[in-house]
Amino acid sequence: MGTRAEPSGLALTAQDAALIRGMIDRGDRHHDIAAFFGVNQGRIAEIKDGSRFPGVPAAAAKDLPPKGPYLVPKVAWQENRLR
């Protein structure tokens, strides 16, 4: 069994959870939501099922970021290399 990777240091907040719930309600893909917040899809599923941040309501549609897919770090890196 290999060693675990270092934690990313990214932690979701209650405000993030509200946005995530709003994005789920809007129909965003879990993959896109996870990419936007820089976390894995498991964290998104935990917010959806209420095991993380229970009781935090969904953010209003007007407060949500634009719908994904989002530019992933690899694509940004590649685009910057070509400039």
Side-chain angles (χ1 to χ4, degrees):
M1 188 167 186
T3 59
R4 295 187 81 162
E6 290 292 321
S8 68
L10 298 173
L12 295 172
T13 65
Q15 183 178 2
D16 294 335
L19 292 172
I20 290 167
R21 285 207 172 94
M23 294 166 83
I24 291 168
D25 289 350
R26 179 173 67 187
D28 292 22
R29 298 180 315 162
H30 289 196
H31 173 81
D32 292 334
I33 299 169
F36 181 82
F37 287 95
V39 298
N40 69 48
Q41 294 178 53
R43 302 301 73 79
I44 305 308
E46 290 170 348
I47 290 171
K48 181 179 180 180
D49 72 18
S51 61
R52 288 184 76 137
F53 298 101
V56 173
K62 66 179 182 56
D63 297 325
L64 300 178
K67 194 167 183 170
Y70 304 103
L71 188 64
V72 296
K74 178 183 174 191
V75 174
W77 174 75
Q78 287 172 326
E79 286 184 359
N80 286 331
R81 287 188 61 183
L82 297 175
R83 291 182 190 182

